[in-house]
């Protein structure tokens, strides 16, 4: 090779490296930054520890949103449910997809920096092939996987720093939630409610992956609450944890929602079944249970209450309350009070059609049930809302400027199920309802033929619904709200990603995506320019509900699958 | 700059790219002792990576269905009893079976990818190809969905199809397990059966590798 050719060759070989080096250095994520995230960043699942799903950025607002255009998109190469928010730290974007993949990109241009994919065991079954995002801490990126590992990656290179098995995937444990970073620890929970697992929240050392504490959501017989389970049932009692918790730094308490008890048949586990369908307040350092609220007892409707409550200051009867707010899968909106050591019930009211609760105790918040809608083995029982609830996992949002609380709801939808006997076998479905029955569970009402999906905006001080936007069919769209007086969300089977005026609910903008949008939206800024980001990629329960709709409606809807990251900015 | 950061990463003792160090994969007893004072906090079972990765075919239990294997009902406990043609009811939900090596008296239950669905339909109703790999109307498919690996368990008589609950893929049993609905990307694998004195015997290996064909 002649010398000048050699130089050219070397230059070409060096160029890609030079491009990588052009990326700004990575800013480590500190406790201080997590406590006070900069407006230009989206550092965790819901952007802040209070769980608001709120970006203070206001460059994109209700006046100029008409000029919002696609800046770049990126195909993830995966099918199924793309639910993770694009998480952004000073120009670095991290996105997770189904099949345990993490993609790092330059947030401004969409250029891929690295891609990580955890090898999945051949034998793994993925009932929910999805992932809801990473946690960032220090110079690492954390992902929980469907084979029940917590993996730490180097944020710059994507190389594995450590990986720790958090449970036995062969027994049906898996993880889909975004981990939560608090003060040097990475907190995770485990899915598997349909496989007879025993739920838990656990914390691992961010640096080493070593387990620090683990708190089961289902107590053993000798623990407080253990007497709410018949002998021999707690070990497979469910109470899965598959949505990221929230955190109050003032009290060092972290709040987590728990899933339904297993199996689905209340006759086989008579009692309250603590702490299923509950909200747990845990000490972030030790995992000690400091308080809890069980939204409903002895569940038979598959109403996981996994969404963590949002921390919102509310005023009630002239009194300021440090509250915990949760739009329940059981169809009630829950307002609780948090103190340094306990959780108190304040108020609850239905936000969708609900026919199971006959009343809710004003002091304790404990619901009473209409006996006609209690599940029993061998009996076909109808109930509203359906097993997907008034609001499933897609997160609510809170905007401190409008003071409104936004709920992605499914209204008017009912279901019918018949409980059957079931037997626990390790790693196999443990339901107590036939699969055929689940496929055909949906019952349409006159109202649901009118509409089902809703985006609701609530004034919590006045317990008043301020606006509602209706979608003809389902809403599986996680919500984000911004300082620009906007609310964003997808969730419909027409593949549209929507933006609403946060104050009035007026639909201002929509974008037809490549697939249905069930991703958590996020917003960030690079070089002073604001972006809106979301993943398209229909699958998992949205697709399951679509299948159930197709079975009962006179038309079928095809929602194409295949994931992509979509990033928007204002056209100049 | 980049080089320096890399050096720091490599220097960390817990970082062994791709591997799981002993201390970070074991959940230590110490965790339990430290946490025992708190409500609800318990010890967790000791997890090792080796427990969580199953390799195919390292011993007779894990080995895939092999020519000459008998079949046993996966749900039956106790001494293995080879299934007969007459044990499989016609036109009803599939029997979930496991291969059974009589020579070593081993049920191949080491991998869930070995699970088979046994179905029986009237011989006249079968196409020539299915008939050729059936034993008196009994034929076998892999019980593992090609989509995301769930167990295919539901028989839909009206469609003559097997359905997977996880995401509702349907496989036509009379058309070589081809996908007729749902997200599964490929046919359900099958193998051939023959009967020896009424006993079901495996006559071929799987036509394709069983298990999920994951995208990406
Ligand atoms: S695993 Fe069977 S359809 Fe998805």
């Amino acid at each position: 090779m002649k010398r000048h050719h050699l130089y050219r060759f070397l230059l070409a070989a060096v160029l890609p490296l030079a491009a990588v080096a052009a990326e700004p250095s990575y800013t480590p994520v500190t406790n201080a930054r997590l406590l006070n995230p900069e407006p230009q960043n989206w550092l965790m699942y819901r952007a802040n520890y209070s769980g608001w799903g709120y970006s203070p950025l206001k460059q994109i607002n209700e006046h100029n949103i008409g000029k919002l255009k696609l800046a770049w998109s990126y195909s993830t190469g995966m099918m199924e449910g793309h639910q993770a928010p694009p998480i952004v730290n000073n120009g670095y974007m991290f996105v997770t997809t189904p099949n345990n993949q993490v993609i790092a990109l330059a947030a401004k241009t969409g250029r891929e920096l690295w891609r990580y994919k955890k090898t999945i065991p051949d034998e793994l079954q993925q009932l929910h092939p999805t992932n809801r995002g990473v946690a960032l801490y220090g110079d690492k990126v954390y992902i929980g996987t469907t084979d029940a590992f917590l993996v730490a990656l180097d944020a710059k290179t994507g190389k594995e720093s450590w990986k720790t098995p958090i449970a036995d995937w062969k027994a049906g444990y898996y993880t889909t939630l975004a981990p939560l970073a608090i003060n040097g620890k990475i907190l995770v929970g485990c899915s598997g409610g349909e496989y007879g697992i025993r739920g838990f929240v656990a914390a691992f050392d961010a640096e080493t992956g070593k387990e620090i504490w683990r708190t089961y959501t289902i107590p053993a017989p000798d623990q407080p609450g253990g007497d709410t389970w018949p002998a021999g049932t707690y070990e497979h009692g469910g109470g899965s944890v598959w949505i990221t918790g929230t955190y109050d730094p003032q009290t060092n308490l972290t709040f987590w929602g728990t899933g339904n008890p297993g199996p689905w048949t209340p006759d086989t586990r008579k009692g309250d079944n603590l702490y299923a369908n509950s909200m747990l307040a845990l000490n972030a350092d030790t995992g000690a249970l400091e308080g809890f609220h069980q939204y409903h007892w002895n569940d038979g409707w598959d109403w996981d209450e996994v969404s963590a409550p949002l921390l919102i200051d509310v005023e009630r009867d002239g009194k300021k309350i440090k509250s915990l707010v949760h739009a329940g899968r059981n169809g009630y909106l829950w307002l609780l009070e948090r103190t340094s050591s306990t959780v108190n019930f304040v108020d609850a009211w239905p936000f969708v059609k609900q026919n199971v609760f006959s009343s809710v105790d004003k002091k304790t918040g404990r619901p009473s049930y209409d006996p006609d809608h209690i599940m029993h083995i061998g009996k076909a029982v109808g109930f509203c809302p359906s097993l997907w609830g008034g609001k499933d996992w897609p997160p609510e949002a809170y905007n401190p400027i409008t003071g409104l609380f936004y709920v992605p709801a499914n209204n008017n939808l009912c279901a019918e199920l018949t409980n059957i006997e079931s037997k626990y076998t390790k790693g196999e479905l443990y339901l107590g309802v036939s699969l055929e029955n689940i496929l055909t569970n949906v019952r349409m009402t006159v109202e649901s033929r009118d509409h089902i999906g809703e985006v609701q905006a609530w004034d919590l001080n006045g317990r008043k619904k301020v606006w509602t936007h209706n979608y003809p069919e389902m809403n599986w769209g996680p919500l984000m709200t911004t300082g620009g007086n906007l609310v964003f969300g997808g969730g419909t089977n027409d593949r549209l990603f929507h933006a609403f005026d946060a104050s009035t609910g007026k639909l201002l903008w929509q974008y037809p995506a490549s697939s249905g949008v069930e991703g958590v939206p996020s917003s960030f800024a690079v070089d002073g320019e604001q972006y809106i980001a979301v993943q398209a990629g229909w699958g998992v329960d949205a697709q399951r509900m679509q299948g159930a709709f197709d079975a009962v409606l006179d038309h079928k809807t095809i929602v194409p699958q295949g994931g992509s990251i979509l990033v928007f900015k204002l056209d100049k | 700059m980049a080089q320096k950061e890399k050096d720091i990463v490599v220097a960390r003792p817990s970082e062994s790219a791709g591997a799981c160090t002993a201390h970070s994969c074991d959940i230590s007893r110490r965790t339990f002792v430290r946490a025992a004072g708190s409500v609800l906090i318990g010890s967790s079972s000791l997890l090792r990576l080796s427990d969580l990765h199953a390799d195919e075919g390292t011993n007779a239990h894990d080995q895939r269905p092999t020519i000459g294997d008998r079949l046993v009902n996966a749900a039956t406990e106790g001494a293995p009893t080879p299934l007969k043609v007459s044990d499989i009811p016609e036109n009803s939900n599939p029997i979930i079976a496991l291969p059974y090596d009589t020579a070593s008296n081993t049920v191949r239950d080491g991998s869930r990818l070995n699970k088979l669905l046994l179905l029986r339909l009237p011989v006249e109703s079968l196409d020539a190809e299915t008939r050729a790999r059936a034993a008196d109307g009994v034929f076998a498919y892999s019980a593992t969905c090609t989509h995301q690996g769930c167990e295919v368990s539901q028989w839909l008589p009206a469609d003559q199809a097997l359905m997977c609950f996880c995401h509702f893929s349907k496989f036509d049993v009379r058309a070589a397990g081809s996908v007729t609905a749902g997200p599964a990307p490929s046919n359900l694998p099958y193998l051939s059966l023959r009967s020896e004195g009424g006993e079901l015997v495996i006559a071929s290996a799987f036509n394709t590798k069983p298990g999920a064909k994951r995208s990406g």
Side-chain angles (χ1 to χ4, degrees), chain B residues 25-29 44-48 51:
Chain B
C25 287
D26 283 348
I27 294 163
S28 71
R29 283 279 123 197
S44 44
S45 55
L46 209 62
L47 288 169
R48 291 181 306 274
D51 293 338

Side-chain angles (χ1 to χ4, degrees), chain A residues 117 123 126 154 169 428 544, chain B residues 111-112 115 148 166 216:
Chain A
K117 212 171 106 188
E123 302 204 7
Q126 295 193 94
D154 181 292
W169 62 263
E428 288 181 17
R544 251 181 222 123
Chain B
S111 166
R112 48 182 296 273
K115 282 192 183 173
Q148 291 288 356
C166 279

Side-chain angles (χ1 to χ4, degrees), chain A residues 363-435:
Chain A
K363 257 200 140 90
T364 62
R366 181 185 173 85
S368 301
Y369 301 153
D370 178 339
D372 286 352
H373 302 297
I374 298 180
M375 310 302 297
H376 290 296
I377 289 187
K379 187 179 165 207
V381 178
F383 58 94
C384 323
S386 80
L387 58 87
W388 289 289
K391 185 199 79 74
D392 203 282
W393 75 272
E396 314 97 308
Y398 173 70
N399 189 320
I401 297 173
T402 63
L404 298 178
F405 174 70
Y406 304 97
V407 182
N410 281 309
N411 202 352
N412 303 325
L413 199 60
C414 303
E416 188 180 287
L417 291 176
T418 305
N419 282 183
I420 55 173
E421 301 280 356
S422 57
K423 188 176 144 257
Y424 175 79
T425 309
K426 182 182 169 181
E428 288 181 17
L429 287 172
Y430 184 48
L431 288 173
V433 177
S434 83
L435 306 183

Side-chain angles (χ1 to χ4, degrees), chain A residues 80 126, chain B residues 145-150 152 164-169 183-184:
Chain A
E80 275 295 345
Q126 295 193 94
Chain B
C145 185
T146 57
H147 178 227
Q148 291 288 356
C150 290
V152 178
C164 172
F165 164 71
C166 279
H167 319 96
F168 307 148
S169 287

Side-chain angles (χ1 to χ4, degrees), chain A residues 196-315:
Chain A
I197 62 132
R198 182 185 178 204
F200 61 82
V201 181
F204 297 83
D205 185 290
E207 200 55 39
T208 64
K210 202 172 160 61
E211 182 168 328
I212 296 168
W213 54 259
R214 177 176 299 230
T215 299
Y216 285 100
T217 61
I218 308 294
D222 59 347
Q223 293 176 315
D227 57 356
T228 63
W229 293 85
T233 54
Y234 81 98
E235 280 168 309
H236 305 299
S240 55
V241 175
W242 46 275
I243 293 294
T244 312
T246 48
Y247 175 59
D248 181 353
Q250 261 153 24
T251 56
N252 198 31
L253 292 178
T254 180
F255 305 95
W256 295 75
T258 64
N260 58 307
W264 289 11
T265 48
D267 282 349
T268 63
R269 43 173 172 73
K270 291 211 162 78
D272 278 7
N273 308 139
L274 291 173
Y275 299 93
N277 311 101
S278 300
M279 187 280 300
L280 306 182
L282 307 175
N283 178 301
D285 290 332
T286 65
L289 180 73
E290 302 286 358
F292 76 95
H293 178 82
Q294 188 176 45
Y295 299 109
H296 63 272
W297 46 278
N298 195 232
D299 173 275
W301 311 277
D302 189 28
W303 288 336
D304 293 64
E305 298 298 352
V306 286
S307 289
L310 283 75
L311 279 55
I312 301 173
D313 289 342
V314 173
E315 221 177 282

